[in-house]
Amino acid sequence: MSCSNNDDESSSDNNPKPDLVYAIGDKGPGGGVVFYLDGKGGGLEAGTTLGVAKWEDSPNYTFTNIIGLGTEIGTGKTNTALIVSAIGSGKYAAKLCDDYIQGGFDDWFLPSKMELKAMYELLHDVGCGGCISPLNNIWSSSQGSTKGSAWNIDFMTDRDTTPYNNWMFELNKNADLYVNPVRKF
């Protein structure tokens, strides 16, 4: 699996530059940690944890029902754009990721439920505990079963010893959870 920053770019001797090859746990092109590879030379990398924020700050619990949000790998970027378009300005999870810049890249987004699960698996299956250092629950960009909830994962819980609904579950959008941006490369 390989990727390059610009497939059309060549070195000074007119020979193509060798493709960069990434492995799970490597430093990605944006300076994040590679946690998912798509089998086509690209993948996803996790940036620096941005602290805590609400998914949507709604003091009156009148949350926005955002239509079209996905849960699968590959839907986080679109989810983030839909959330920011629907909610607008503020300091909520998707907006923090949308505004984030790291490694010269400004295309970071709030991961979908399954993208976040892939990040969790990096920590628990590959043993890359020092690669990403999230604490407790992290928001995904996937809305829950009601307009007032969204999916998150508790990164401090071991899924092998804990029932599924106790490490990946829906929470009220007003909860303050950690935010970890990701980007596609």
Side-chain angles (χ1 to χ4, degrees):
M1 291 173 266
S2 66
C3 72
S4 66
N5 290 336
N6 184 346
D7 292 335
D8 297 327
E9 187 176 305
S10 17
S11 62
S12 60
D13 63 2
N14 291 325
N15 292 325
K17 287 186 177 181
D19 288 340
L20 298 176
V21 177
Y22 294 99
I24 299 295
D26 283 354
K27 184 176 182 178
V33 177
V34 175
F35 67 91
Y36 172 81
L37 296 170
D38 65 11
K40 300 174 188 171
L44 296 169
E45 64 178 315
T48 304
T49 302
L50 302 177
V52 297
K54 297 177 185 325
W55 198 94
E56 180 180 5
D57 190 3
S58 181
N60 299 323
Y61 294 90
T62 55
F63 299 104
T64 307
N65 188 24
I66 303 172
I67 305 299
L69 298 181
T71 59
E72 296 304 315
I73 290 178
T75 60
K77 187 172 181 72
T78 300
N79 287 356
T80 300
L82 289 170
I83 295 164
V84 170
S85 177
I87 297 175
S89 63
K91 292 189 179 204
Y92 54 94
K95 183 70 169 141
L96 292 173
C97 293
D98 189 57
D99 291 344
Y100 185 64
I101 299 172
Q102 178 181 318
F105 293 94
D106 65 356
D107 58 348
W108 298 86
F109 55 89
L110 187 63
S112 70
K113 176 183 172 183
M114 298 313 284
E115 291 164 345
L116 190 60
K117 182 177 181 269
M119 189 189 318
Y120 174 93
E121 289 169 348
L122 168 67
L123 293 170
H124 292 278
D125 294 349
V126 179
C128 190
C131 298
I132 303 169
S133 56
L135 302 170
N136 294 333
N137 300 62
I138 299 179
W139 280 124
S140 81
S141 61
S142 302
Q143 188 167 262
S145 58
T146 69
K147 70 178 185 176
S149 67
W151 285 96
N152 79 98
I153 292 181
D154 183 347
F155 274 66
M156 300 300 285
T157 302
D158 183 352
R159 73 172 186 187
D160 295 328
T161 60
T162 306
Y164 180 76
N165 63 351
N166 287 336
W167 65 273
M168 179 188 274
F169 51 94
E170 298 176 29
L171 275 177
N172 185 291
K173 290 179 180 179
N174 259 349
D176 284 313
L177 303 183
Y178 284 89
V179 178
N180 208 125
V182 302
R183 68 176 294 276
K184 182 179 178 182
F185 62 89

